[in-house]
């Protein structure tokens, strides 16, 4: 594994290896066992969108691994004034040991990887959010002691989260049921990938059908970053239907867990009641961003550790 650009690029073995390492790093962190695997290294963090979890967990994770992270806003970098990404990639490769980037176009992330000579980590694009899904899989495995054979259900917009969750869950042996409205389906590349899983993948417009007997329920905002201007239009499509609420919970297996990548909009994609009833799972999930991303950084920046 040279980069983490999207989960489609990873084998099941690579994903499981990252989850195992994430568990180990979590254990070590909780027991005060130092793991300075990235001593003296630097990670550049380029952000073109807002972030709480990604920024803080990468910066903290890098520190815990003995290295340092640099926050680089695209507004301040010369990229913001038109310096080509090809040149930026080659320059930053001379200073840094890795780059984490959050931006709009997946191509920008792929270009950085193509022109630079250091590992690139996708910290969210419009297409996918692989770091979040590694943390999600780690959390599901913690609660359910396995991934293989579980039923995973996602309700909402067929966005970056739906794309990465579908790929990650299928690769880890889960069956996946998505409930997305017409016109808001996941990316074609993901649907094409999912096709090969036959009846382990289902896409419907009906949340109750998708939630039937699910072990894990997941949702995300109706309008993602960059789509704020479409919110009213989207609200008309999603409101009252694409929400995790008591009715959806009763369709799922008893003891089903509920996850959300956060930030959450209560009473839109999830009711406050369901959110609070599953707050432990959701905030364990947020915590696991730290551990999962530390695993990614170690594998990419210090292979062999
Ligand atoms: N879930 C997630 O990526 O959160 P941030 O946008 O706060 O980084
Ligand atoms: N779909 C959301 C995820 C945020 C972590 C967005 O892209 O804004």
């Amino acid at each position: 594994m040279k980069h983490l650009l999207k989960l489609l690029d990873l084998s099941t073995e690579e994903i499981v290896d990252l989850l195992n390492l994430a568990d180990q790093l979590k254990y070590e962190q909780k027991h005060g066992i130092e793991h300075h695997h990235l001593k003296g290294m630097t990670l550049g963090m380029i952000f073109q969108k807002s972030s709480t979890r990604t920024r803080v967990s990468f910066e903290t994770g890098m520190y815990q691994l003995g290295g340092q992270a640099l926050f680089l806003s695209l507004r301040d970098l010369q990229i913001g004034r038109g310096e080509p990404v090809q040149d930026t990639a080659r320059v930053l490769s001379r200073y840094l040991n890795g780059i984490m980037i959050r931006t709009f176009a997946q191509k920008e992330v792929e270009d950085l990887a193509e022109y630079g000579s250091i590992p690139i980590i996708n910290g969210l694009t419009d297409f996918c959010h692989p770091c979040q899904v590694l943390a999600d899989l780690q959390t599901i495995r913690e609660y359910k002691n396995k991934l293989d054979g579980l039923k995973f259900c996602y309700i909402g917009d067929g966005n970056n989260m739906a794309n990465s969750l579908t790929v990650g869950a299928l690769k880890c042996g889960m069956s996946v049921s998505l409930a997305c409205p017409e016109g808001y389906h996941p990316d074609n590349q993901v649907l094409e990938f999912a096709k090969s899983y036959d009846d382990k993948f289902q896409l419907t417009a009906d949340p109750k059908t998708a939630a039937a007997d699910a072990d894990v329920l997941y949702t995300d905002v109706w309008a993602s970053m960059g789509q704020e201007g479409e919110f009213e239009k989207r609200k008309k499509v999603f409101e009252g239907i694409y929400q995790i609420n008591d009715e959806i919970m009763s369709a799922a297996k008893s003891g089903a867990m509920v996850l959300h990548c956060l930030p959450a909009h209560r009473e839109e994609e999830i009711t406050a009641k369901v959110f609070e009833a599953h707050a432990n799972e959701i905030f364990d999930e947020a915590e696991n961003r730290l551990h999962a991303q530390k695993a990614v950084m170690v594998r990419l920046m210090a292979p062999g550790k």
Side-chain angles (χ1 to χ4, degrees), residues 47 49-57 102 123-124 129 132 161 218 225 260-263 286 289 293:
F47 281 95
K49 291 176 175 172
S50 307
S51 172
T52 297
R53 282 145 287 271
T54 307
R55 177 176 177 180
V56 178
S57 55
R102 165 170 287 195
L124 180 146
H129 197 2
Q132 177 68 53
M161 284 311 313
Y218 203 113
M225 288 182 276
H260 193 307
C261 56
L262 303 175
R289 293 293 304 278
Q293 288 158 198

Side-chain angles (χ1 to χ4, degrees), residues 4-51:
L4 178 59
L5 309 179
K6 54 187 182 300
L7 290 181
L8 281 168
D9 300 335
L10 267 56
S11 66
T12 300
E13 292 69 31
E14 284 171 322
I15 295 174
V16 172
D17 170 63
L18 287 170
L19 300 182
N20 292 343
L21 181 57
D23 285 348
Q24 183 190 328
L25 293 169
K26 182 171 184 174
Y27 176 88
E28 290 174 2
Q29 189 64 34
K30 300 247 179 239
H31 291 82
I33 303 167
E34 198 177 89
H35 41 230
H36 283 175
H37 302 320
L38 303 184
K39 194 161 187 275
M41 294 194 187
T42 50
L43 175 81
M45 306 189 301
I46 302 176
F47 281 95
Q48 204 175 13
K49 291 176 175 172
S50 307
S51 172

Side-chain angles (χ1 to χ4, degrees), residues 173-189:
M174 302 168 83
S175 65
V176 173
S177 281
L178 305 178
C180 307
E182 203 54 54
Y184 297 89
H185 285 179
D187 192 275
N188 278 336
Q189 212 183 328

Side-chain angles (χ1 to χ4, degrees), residues 123-162:
L124 180 146
T125 59
D126 291 344
F127 175 62
C128 64
H129 197 2
C131 292
Q132 177 68 53
V133 171
L134 290 171
D136 299 338
L137 295 170
Q138 185 186 6
T139 313
I140 296 167
R141 211 170 68 157
E142 275 174 358
Y143 276 82
K144 301 284 181 195
N145 292 314
K146 63 173 187 175
L147 294 171
D148 197 44
L150 296 178
K151 176 172 174 179
F152 181 89
C153 163
Y154 174 91
I155 294 174
D157 184 23
N159 60 14
N160 44 12
M161 284 311 313

